Amino acid sequence: MEKPVDPLIVERVIGDVLDLFTPTIKMSVAYTDRKVCNGHELYPSTIASKPKVAVEGDDMRSFFTLVMTDPDVPGPSDPYLREHLHWIVSDIPGTTDATFGKEIVSYEIPRPNIGIHRFVFVLFKQKKRSQIQHPPWSRDNFNTRNFAAENELGLPVAAVYFNAQRETAARRR
């Protein structure tokens, strides 16, 4: 029997953004009524507001950090600004959602201009509350791996991504 193919590997999220990891926590991300599923496309008009991020952690004593990045800036064929940081929320209690966490970097609406972009949500388990350092990160040239290392977060515990591209007037109809 063939082993199922992981879309995070196929679409190079693992490689471009993350190292290989084993998911250990369930995380769901939804924009209004549109659930984020690996590789599905969402229109920019549907992702203008912060998504609802639910974490099914092991207990309320566990805390998580969520990072959202775009590894395809300015365009997938030449992503020289890789990665672009869209959002960081820390101190998310297990078994709740990101609204209970502490927003460290405010949500920036994804606005892809060239090509199809991947938008990646990565969840890390913190060793303790208020673990995340607060240096002024640049949104461009952000590095999820470096962020995790600087804050002693280790490997991710969950990740999901969606695709989006520039929405033309014809596509909005």
Side-chain angles (χ1 to χ4, degrees):
M1 180 181 235
E2 284 188 38
K3 185 177 178 183
V5 180
D6 186 337
L8 295 172
I9 295 172
V10 172
E11 292 301 319
R12 301 242 353 109
V13 170
I14 292 178
D16 290 346
V17 179
L18 306 170
D19 292 323
L20 187 61
F21 74 99
T22 302
T24 57
I25 299 291
K26 287 187 179 185
M27 171 181 67
S28 65
V29 180
Y31 285 94
T32 315
D33 61 345
R34 298 289 315 259
K35 184 176 179 188
V36 173
C37 297
N38 284 327
H40 289 203
E41 183 173 355
L42 297 177
Y43 294 117
S45 58
T46 64
I47 56 179
S49 299
K50 288 181 202 176
K52 179 175 170 73
V53 179
V55 177
E56 295 180 31
D58 35 15
D59 60 46
M60 289 294 286
R61 292 182 305 267
S62 297
F63 293 95
F64 298 90
T65 295
L66 175 74
V67 175
M68 178 187 179
T69 68
D70 174 357
D72 300 316
V73 176
S77 61
D78 185 20
Y80 63 87
L81 295 176
R82 172 178 293 161
E83 302 162 40
H84 184 81
L85 177 63
H86 281 272
W87 199 26
I88 297 178
V89 182
S90 71
D91 295 338
I92 303 168
T95 69
T96 64
D97 62 65
T99 59
F100 290 94
K102 183 167 131 186
E103 190 173 66
I104 294 177
V105 176
S106 62
Y107 182 77
E108 181 180 87
I109 300 168
R111 290 189 176 102
N113 287 319
I114 303 166
I116 299 171
H117 290 238
R118 299 165 293 169
F119 293 90
V120 182
F121 293 92
V122 185
L123 189 69
F124 296 96
K125 187 172 184 177
Q126 297 172 209
K127 293 179 182 171
K128 61 184 184 205
R129 190 173 193 162
S130 301
Q131 175 178 338
I132 305 305
Q133 304 298 316
H134 300 278
W137 293 293
S138 168
R139 287 195 187 256
D140 287 330
N141 295 303
F142 180 80
N143 187 298
T144 300
R145 285 182 185 99
N146 290 348
F147 171 80
E150 289 164 6
N151 290 284
E152 299 177 1
L153 293 170
L155 290 173
V157 294
V160 65
Y161 80 99
F162 68 91
N163 294 322
Q165 59 186 310
R166 187 174 180 189
E167 191 170 2
T168 63
R171 292 184 79 196
R172 279 188 221 122
R173 289 187 214 148

